[in-house]
Amino acid sequence: NCLSQVEMMGSYNLGSGGMASTQNTSNLKGKLLSLNEEINKLGEELEYYRKQMSDLVDQKQSLESILQVNAKGTKTKLISDLSTVEEEMKRHFAHQKAENSRLQQQITSIKGEKTALQTQMLALQRRIAELERQVGQDEEQLGAQQCDYYEFRYFL
């Protein structure tokens, strides 16, 4: 379109101006052709960059979807692992609670046995003291009897 306008201008200039005008027209046509080539190159370059941009946008969307899938998978795995750990902890706490209860019952039982043994020990100590008194009394009686026996023999 621009080139056809230049050609019209050139033919107009040829008719009215002569030789100098023909030179200007050829210079102008050369510049327009050069500019037209430059515009075509820039258009091709622009198209190349648009295609690259489109490819990058596609790659970005692909990576985002992959990341989304990976994040969702990781989240699901972590939730599953967390649930497993929570269940395991609940089981351990329940076992520990049962063990604590069993040990507390054993402690209570042992304290009862200790009290019973202390009571029996006191009763045995009293019995020993009573037996010692009886032995002491028996010894006194035996000693008195022996004295009487010796005195009796002495008199005889």
Side-chain angles (χ1 to χ4, degrees):
N1 193 9
C2 288
L3 193 55
S4 61
Q5 286 178 354
V6 169
E7 286 173 354
M8 283 199 282
M9 285 173 62
S11 63
Y12 175 74
N13 284 339
L14 277 176
S16 60
M19 191 84 165
S21 160
T22 307
Q23 226 175 9
N24 283 342
T25 307
S26 64
N27 277 344
L28 192 55
K29 280 184 180 180
K31 285 184 180 181
L32 281 176
L33 285 174
S34 174
L35 285 174
N36 222 4
E37 283 179 29
E38 191 73 27
I39 289 172
N40 285 339
K41 285 181 185 177
L42 290 174
E44 288 174 5
E45 197 174 326
L46 181 63
E47 192 57 37
Y48 170 77
Y49 287 124
R50 280 186 182 156
K51 186 179 180 309
Q52 277 193 335
M53 182 70 151
S54 176
D55 289 346
L56 290 174
V57 167
D58 290 345
Q59 284 179 356
K60 177 187 168 243
Q61 288 174 345
S62 175
L63 289 174
E64 283 177 345
S65 67
I66 289 170
L67 286 175
Q68 224 172 16
V69 168
N70 286 346
K72 189 175 183 180
T74 302
K75 181 180 177 182
T76 303
K77 175 89 169 92
L78 286 174
I79 289 172
S80 173
D81 289 350
L82 179 63
S83 178
T84 302
V85 168
E86 283 177 343
E87 288 300 317
E88 196 171 312
M89 285 180 64
K90 284 179 185 177
R91 218 174 33 252
H92 285 297
F93 283 144
H95 176 73
Q96 188 65 46
K97 189 175 180 180
E99 184 70 15
N100 289 350
S101 177
R102 186 183 66 79
L103 289 174
Q104 191 59 44
Q105 287 175 350
Q106 284 182 347
I107 289 170
T108 302
S109 174
I110 290 171
K111 282 181 180 179
E113 288 176 17
K114 176 187 165 199
T115 302
L117 288 173
Q118 284 177 333
T119 303
Q120 287 178 355
M121 192 167 81
L122 281 173
L124 289 173
Q125 285 175 343
R126 287 184 193 135
R127 177 74 177 135
I128 289 171
E130 183 181 319
L131 288 174
E132 285 176 346
R133 269 184 270 137
Q134 284 180 359
V135 167
Q137 288 175 358
D138 287 347
E139 284 180 358
E140 285 178 16
Q141 287 177 359
L142 184 61
Q145 285 178 356
Q146 283 181 354
C147 273
D148 288 343
Y149 173 74
Y150 288 125
E151 284 178 12
F152 176 74
R153 280 182 104 207
Y154 180 69
F155 286 119
L156 289 172

